Amino acid sequence: MDKTLESSKNSLGFGKSEAETRVVVAMSGGVDSSVCAALLAREGYDVIGVTLQLYDHGEAIKKAKACCAGQDIYDAKRVAEDMGFPHYVLDYESNFKEQVIEDFADTYLKGSTPIPCVRCNQTVKFKDLLQVARDLGADCMATGHYIKRIEGKNGPELHRAYDGGKDQSYFLFATTRDQLDFLRFPLGHMDKSETRRLAVELGLNVAAKPDSQDICFVPTGKYTDVIEKIRPHAAQPGKIVHQDGTVLGEHRGVMYYTIGQRRGLGLGDDTGTDPLFVTGIDADKGHVVVGPRSALDRDTLWLDDINWLGEGKFGAHLDGTNIRVKVRSTRPPAPARLELRGNKMVVVLNEPDIGLSPGQACVFYEDRNDAARTLGGGWITQTA
């Protein structure tokens, strides 16, 4: 690209002034999205803040650390007022319930492990809200996520954040190429301490606000409470079965168990010398399968709904390609390879991992020591 043209672009990559560039900022009411919006406003961009009301305020207010709650909406509005840009609250409660909360409950009832934050980004935020931004005439939509958007030779690329401890690439793997073209992530090059410092410098009321820790729609911190509320008669008792076929006891519903669980099995001490772990869940039979820790080892993952952000199209030409993957948000990317088995592409880990379950995400990264570029990912449907 011509260097003169490149240098004439503003910080968001548009060849016009900041005042002529309209940016819709997704504001949760937390410090990250507030700093994102305030920085863009200070730079002179035409900022519009939008906050989504995603669930009942009465329940939300009881859980002050949950995002998008009643207090959070007030905090986002206050930031907008102080920085002098318009702010709107949109009622997306029914969309969120249908696309995120009900999917969360149904996934658990199938014996899988859901990741609602990915589903929320995939549907409500980067689909519904992004369309709202387009309808408002925005040139782009900005969020406070810690991830980098870098212009590559073949278009924008998704890269892990500068702050590895806050990197959110795991939760954004389902971002499509079209969405990435419209999105901006101003905090991707910062660490969290810099964000806090800027919040103080900008005089934001949320500068000392703690980060959200829990799933936003789980006010008690106990996910089974949510499932019981929206699927009150779904929990069905069944058998706890050793992997050798021996029936060891009864359980009250598969939704109360997860792969890798050791405590709370209710089997007492009469199960042999080795501790038992949940190694599988067969929702169709109503069985919770248990076995020794060694039975948790998995190195082969079958995926579905794959989103590919690498070069070319996702297909057979990737058979045997070395990549790195994350199967948990808190783990560093680990070496793996893609293999074509029949008409399915599977991920084979170089080293087995434990506690992997259908419903979890497997996120792809470039096979380099820094594993910086995010190549997409998919949903685990089966492990072996």
Side-chain angles (χ1 to χ4, degrees):
M1 180 180 289
D2 187 290
K3 290 186 178 181
T4 304
L5 290 175
E6 183 69 23
S7 63
S8 67
K9 290 187 175 183
N10 60 37
S11 64
L12 294 180
F14 297 98
K16 54 185 176 180
S17 71
E18 288 81 2
E20 296 173 307
T21 305
R22 174 166 289 182
V23 187
V24 166
V25 181
M27 300 183 69
S28 68
V31 65
D32 298 327
S33 61
S34 295
V35 168
C36 174
L39 279 177
L40 294 173
R42 186 172 73 171
E43 288 180 38
Y45 286 100
D46 178 13
V47 173
I48 299 174
V50 176
T51 301
L52 301 181
Q53 177 190 322
L54 298 179
Y55 52 91
D56 180 71
H57 280 197
E59 286 296 318
I61 291 170
K62 296 176 186 176
K63 187 70 174 177
K65 290 185 179 180
C67 74
C68 310
Q71 180 63 43
D72 295 323
I73 291 173
Y74 169 81
D75 289 340
K77 181 178 178 63
R78 171 80 180 276
V79 169
E81 289 176 348
D82 290 347
M83 297 302 299
F85 60 83
H87 174 258
Y88 302 101
V89 178
L90 304 181
D91 184 355
Y92 270 53
E93 190 171 337
S94 61
N95 297 51
F96 187 72
K97 183 176 185 293
E98 177 182 343
Q99 297 182 68
V100 180
I101 300 179
E102 292 188 357
D103 174 80
F104 173 84
D106 291 341
T107 301
Y108 262 118
L109 292 173
K110 292 175 184 175
S112 299
T113 303
I115 308 177
C117 294
V118 176
R119 289 297 188 196
C120 183
N121 289 326
Q122 189 178 23
T123 56
V124 176
K125 290 181 180 175
F126 286 179
K127 183 180 178 184
D128 298 339
L129 180 55
L130 192 142
Q131 185 56 51
V132 169
R134 294 186 190 277
D135 292 342
L136 288 170
D139 293 286
C140 64
M141 186 174 89
T143 78
H145 288 104
Y146 285 88
I147 195 165
K148 295 178 186 176
R149 178 192 182 276
I150 294 177
E151 285 293 341
K153 61 181 180 180
N154 295 316
E157 300 172 356
L158 207 58
H159 286 242
R160 294 169 69 203
Y162 168 77
D163 186 343
K166 298 299 292 184
D167 172 63
Q168 292 174 291
S169 58
Y170 183 82
F171 300 104
L172 298 176
F173 82 87
T175 305
T176 66
R177 294 180 190 272
D178 182 60
Q179 291 167 348
L180 187 57
D181 190 55
F182 193 69
L183 288 163
R184 300 294 187 273
F185 308 104
L187 305 189
H189 296 270
M190 300 182 192
D191 61 29
K192 187 59 182 250
S193 62
E194 174 70 0
T195 303
R196 293 279 184 191
R197 186 192 67 76
L198 285 168
V200 173
E201 177 185 313
L202 291 160
L204 303 184
N205 60 302
V206 296
K209 190 172 183 177
D211 292 341
S212 298
Q213 300 294 329
D214 304 311
I215 298 172
C216 67
F217 57 86
V218 185
T220 64
K222 188 177 180 183
Y223 69 86
T224 51
D225 290 349
V226 174
I227 302 172
E228 289 168 352
K229 183 176 180 180
I230 66 175
R231 297 286 188 270
H233 305 296
Q236 296 294 326
K239 298 184 183 301
I240 299 176
V241 182
H242 194 278
Q243 61 183 28
D244 66 9
T246 305
V247 176
L248 300 178
E250 299 282 331
H251 66 77
R252 58 194 182 113
V254 296
M255 72 181 192
Y256 299 101
Y257 301 85
T258 57
I259 303 295
Q261 179 178 336
R262 177 184 174 186
R263 300 184 183 279
L265 300 181
L267 297 176
D269 299 323
D270 192 22
T271 58
T273 57
D274 295 327
L276 295 177
F277 297 79
V278 175
T279 61
I281 296 175
D282 188 334
D284 292 335
K285 293 182 179 179
H287 289 176
V288 172
V289 183
V290 296
R293 187 183 185 281
S294 60
L296 290 171
D297 286 343
R298 297 288 187 272
D299 65 3
T300 306
L301 312 174
W302 277 260
L303 307 181
D304 200 2
D305 292 335
I306 292 173
N307 181 53
W308 178 247
L309 294 173
E311 302 305 324
K313 293 184 178 181
F314 190 79
H317 70 282
L318 293 170
D319 183 23
T321 298
N322 291 323
I323 59 172
R324 301 204 179 194
V325 301
K326 272 190 179 190
V327 289
R328 293 183 184 83
S329 63
T330 55
R331 297 276 187 88
R337 69 183 180 275
L338 293 169
E339 287 189 3
L340 189 63
R341 298 190 180 182
N343 62 349
K344 287 283 189 180
M345 192 72 76
V346 302
V347 169
V348 180
L349 306 175
N350 285 18
E351 296 291 337
D353 203 344
I354 65 170
L356 303 183
S357 167
Q360 292 176 316
C362 177
V363 181
F364 307 155
Y365 298 88
E366 197 172 31
D367 185 31
R368 294 174 34 166
N369 288 336
D370 60 4
R373 186 177 177 185
T374 306
L375 301 178
W379 299 96
I380 299 173
T381 59
Q382 182 183 343
T383 65

